[in-house]
Amino acid sequence: MDTQLKKGLLEICVLAELNRQDSYGYQIIKDLYKIVNISESTLYPILKRLETHSYLTTYTKEFDGRLRKYYRITENGKAKIQEFCREWSSITDIIDFIRGMK
Amino acid sequence: MNKRDFFRIIRKKLNRFGDDVADDAVEFYEEIINEKIRETGISEEQAIADLGDPNKLAVEMASDLVAANKLKNPSRGMFWLLGSLALSPVLLPLAITAFTLYIVIFSVWGSLTIAFGGAAIGSIIGGVYSLFVLGNIGTSLICLGGALIAAAILSALCIVTFKYGLEFINLITVKLVRKIKKKTDKGDIIK
């Protein structure tokens, strides 16, 4: 898949994962890996970018005697998902055009 | 490779972006390694091998940071760029381009400085010589006037260099880093 397109989609996928529940690095990879190829080195910059744009916040929690960094979606992040879903209908129009159905 | 070697490489490559940046990356990868070992029972060696080449990871993270303009110091960015280019033969043409550009910038700036600096000093010597040795006030004034013009151009050159030169170098660095990113992105992702 085209890298730029994939990166954009992965950002939304990470937000969608966090929209279900707060999550931590390894869990995010495991969950997303079911639907798309994602590696640690791909996830890290995405998380950083989402944090910079304040689509997510982080907190640390102890689990089983070790510390885990959890990521939590913000209102901004939820709005971003909404925006993506609204845009999707215009994207399907484009895909129909590419397939020659329009 | 064990954890210590793995993180030593990552830290070494990222420390120029500040300790907090390196710490954050190390924390992220360390957590992943620990979770993976605990959940799947694989060895530390294997968990680290799964992450891939730490040099490559560090270059990817660093190029992200440079592209995001998080560079505190342009000259550091420049040396980082040249250093990371040496990592892969694929990047050799880019390395040559970068190196040439930097050399051209520095040599143009250097030769202009030497030219105008030399002209200023020469005119002053000429002016003093014609005043005191030849006793020719007219020639002396022309020479000293020339010296003033050369000095003015020289200082303007220095001001422009400090104001825009570093920004320009930074711009080139960021552009080239984006190119590197495109190349590393292609070979990116997953085992």
Side-chain angles (χ1 to χ4, degrees):
Chain A
M1 202 190 288
D2 175 72
T3 340
Q4 281 314 107
L5 183 62
K6 184 168 176 176
K7 264 194 180 154
L9 284 174
L10 277 176
E11 280 189 15
I12 301 292
C13 286
V14 171
L15 284 178
E17 155 90 0
L18 298 179
N19 204 23
R20 291 179 173 83
Q21 80 277 314
D22 294 1
S23 190
Y24 54 95
Y26 186 55
Q27 185 66 44
I28 297 175
I29 289 177
K30 271 197 308 180
D31 288 345
L32 291 190
Y33 197 69
K34 292 170 199 154
I35 52 161
V36 61
N37 269 354
I38 185 168
S39 69
E40 296 82 3
S41 63
T42 321
L43 179 64
Y44 183 71
I46 289 176
L47 287 171
K48 288 285 112 190
R49 204 154 44 235
L50 292 174
E51 193 180 357
T52 318
H53 289 96
S54 53
Y55 292 141
L56 58 81
T57 56
T58 64
Y59 61 94
T60 314
K61 206 164 104 181
E62 203 183 302
F63 177 84
D64 225 9
R66 61 188 188 273
L67 287 176
R68 264 183 192 164
K69 191 171 185 179
Y70 276 84
Y71 302 87
R72 171 188 284 152
I73 193 165
T74 62
E75 288 308 313
N76 270 347
K78 289 177 184 168
K80 180 80 186 163
I81 295 178
Q82 296 296 321
E83 191 192 319
F84 176 81
C85 293
R86 273 200 304 276
E87 277 173 359
W88 186 246
S89 61
S90 60
I91 294 175
T92 50
D93 283 348
I94 294 169
I95 291 171
D96 285 347
F97 176 77
I98 294 169
R99 284 184 174 145
M101 287 158 75
K102 256 189 186 173
Chain B
M1 189 184 289
N2 60 24
K3 268 204 265 189
R4 233 183 65 204
D5 291 338
F6 182 85
F7 289 127
R8 190 176 41 79
I9 294 169
I10 292 206
R11 270 187 193 285
K12 202 172 146 197
K13 290 249 150 52
L14 290 184
N15 65 9
R16 67 203 63 218
F17 297 96
D19 281 345
D20 48 336
V21 171
D23 285 346
D24 193 78
V26 167
E27 250 171 53
F28 177 83
Y29 283 104
E30 189 157 33
E31 193 188 302
I32 299 261
I33 292 169
N34 290 340
E35 295 284 345
K36 212 173 197 173
I37 292 171
R38 197 169 291 233
E39 198 171 301
T40 61
I42 56 172
S43 66
E44 182 180 305
E45 196 105 325
Q46 187 56 49
I48 284 163
D50 284 351
L51 290 176
D53 180 3
N55 281 299
K56 204 177 149 235
L57 288 183
V59 169
E60 276 174 18
M61 284 188 278
S63 60
D64 264 324
L65 289 164
V66 180
N69 249 326
K70 285 225 171 107
L71 221 57
K72 282 176 197 145
N73 185 335
S75 60
R76 272 186 169 186
M78 191 176 79
F79 288 119
W80 174 82
L81 177 71
L82 292 176
S84 70
L85 288 169
L87 281 176
S88 160
V90 186
L91 301 171
L92 196 66
L94 267 178
I96 294 167
T97 313
F99 194 63
T100 317
L101 272 173
Y102 292 139
I103 294 284
V104 166
I105 292 169
F106 283 121
S107 53
V108 166
W109 180 77
S111 48
L112 282 175
T113 310
I114 291 169
F116 284 108
I121 292 167
S123 309
I124 291 171
I125 292 171
V128 171
Y129 182 76
S130 53
L131 182 66
F132 290 108
V133 181
L134 303 177
N136 188 339
I137 295 176
T139 316
S140 164
L141 284 178
I142 291 171
C143 286
L144 291 176
L148 281 177
I149 294 171
I153 293 174
L154 184 66
S155 36
L157 197 69
C158 285
I159 292 168
V160 169
T161 305
F162 280 111
K163 201 152 186 234
Y164 301 108
L166 291 179
E167 258 174 55
F168 186 61
I169 288 177
N170 217 4
L171 191 79
I172 290 174
T173 309
V174 169
K175 279 240 161 90
L176 287 167
V177 166
R178 294 223 169 101
K179 282 218 169 124
I180 299 175
K181 261 189 73 55
K182 270 196 194 143
K183 283 195 195 288
T184 47
D185 278 353
K186 277 184 200 155
D188 202 354
I189 303 182
I190 219 71
K191 30 257 52 129

